[in-house]
Every structure is written in C-alpha cells, then in structure tokens.
Amino acid sequence: MDAADPVLEAGIGCTLNGSPELTVVTNGEESDATVVVVDLVDDKVLDVVHSIRNQPHRPEVVLLATELSPADALHAIAAGAHGLLRRREASANRLSRAVLAAVVGDCTMPPDLIDRVLEQGMENATPAAPQAWARGGLNEREHAVLRLVAEGYETDEIARRLSYSARTVTAVVHDITQRFRLRNRAHAVAYALRARLL
C-alpha cells in the first residue's frame, strides 16, 4: 500500500484486512499487489505506478484516486495499473475485488468509464492496428472470451459462462495480448472494437 497520509493508509489496511483472501503487508515488504491512493493522476503518480511495476517481483497496482477521468485511466493503464477505482466508490468489497482481480491479471475500472476509455483508446490507436487484427484474426474461443471481457465479466465469470477453466481464460487473453503486442485486457478490447472484431 502506498499513501502519503498514514491515517488513510491505516484505514485502507483495515478495509483490506476484512477480506479473508488478502493479507496486508507494510511498505517495503514484497507483495503481489500494491494499492496506491492519490487525489489526482498526474505525471508523478504515473511515475510511481511505473516504478512499482518495475520492481523485481513486479507487483500489480490498484490505483485509488479522488478524480479519475478517461484520460487518467488510459495513462494509468499504460503506466501499468491493473485496477482503477474512485475513492468515493471504493467500498471494502469493491476494493478487495479489484486487488484480487489485479493479482490474476484482470484489469478493473468503474463501469461508467469503460465506454469512454474505449472511445478515447480507439481515437488514439494506430491506423495499422485493424489490419493486424484482420490478418491475425481471432478464433472462435478467442472471440468468445474477448467479447465477455468487453462486457465487463471477470475471469471466473467468463470461465463459468463458457465452461472453461479460469486458467484457460487467462491463457487465451494472454495469447491475444502477446500476439498483437497489447498492454492488457482493456487495450485488447479497444483494438478489437476498432477492428470490428467484436
């Protein structure tokens, strides 16, 4: 956890300690995920996210911000954040789910931001991207998984809906992102929509 305010840090720690699936560690200890609490997403915050992701054990980052615009979300995802929440919406359940999702490689963000982030991502995507998707294409399984990712389902939900294991779903998403050199799930969905594959 990374917060400038020790009282805020203690509060987030207590909130996360309420989840039996999570163990909260103090600064300096190795963890699978780090929660970063900020007011605004600026260059300094993006540098913090990037430096956390570049640590030797590469912890995932969940960014908890007072203000979070579509541009902020895109920049945070590009810097390596896998969870984005507004502080006013961060109930204990939502924050715990975002941390658990980040640890397994899922990217979460407020539902109202998803469409706006995808629109902005498509506007900024390179012109060659749709041709790459069209040439490479998606097989039936990849298309089904990516469609459910685009609809906001998490890995376990996708696995249940498609009768796959969670490991298979994770592998499919990983294969797609590696094949098309994409950063994460949100980036894959944006490119697929732009290429009219979804």
Side-chain angles (χ1 to χ4, degrees), residues 22 31-34 59-62 82 96-106:
L22 296 173
S31 65
D32 294 327
T34 299
E60 300 296 346
V61 175
V62 175
H82 267 173
S96 297
R97 281 195 342 240
V99 171
L100 291 168
V103 168
V104 297
D106 286 347

Side-chain angles (χ1 to χ4, degrees), residues 113 117 147:
L113 271 182
V117 166
R147 182 178 48 78

Side-chain angles (χ1 to χ4, degrees), residues 60-62 73-74 76-78 80-84 97-110 114 117 149-150 152-155 173 183-189:
E60 300 296 346
V61 175
V62 175
L74 278 174
I77 290 168
H82 267 173
L84 304 168
R97 281 195 342 240
V99 171
L100 291 168
V103 168
V104 297
D106 286 347
C107 184
T108 57
M109 70 177 71
I114 293 174
V117 166
V149 169
Y153 291 101
E154 294 183 17
T155 300
V173 173
R183 290 183 298 274
N184 50 45
R185 293 164 60 118
H187 196 195
V189 170

Side-chain angles (χ1 to χ4, degrees), residues 130-146:
Q131 289 79 18
W133 277 97
R135 281 196 305 272
L138 295 174
N139 64 37
E140 187 176 329
R141 179 167 62 176
E142 290 170 333
H143 185 271
V145 168
L146 200 54

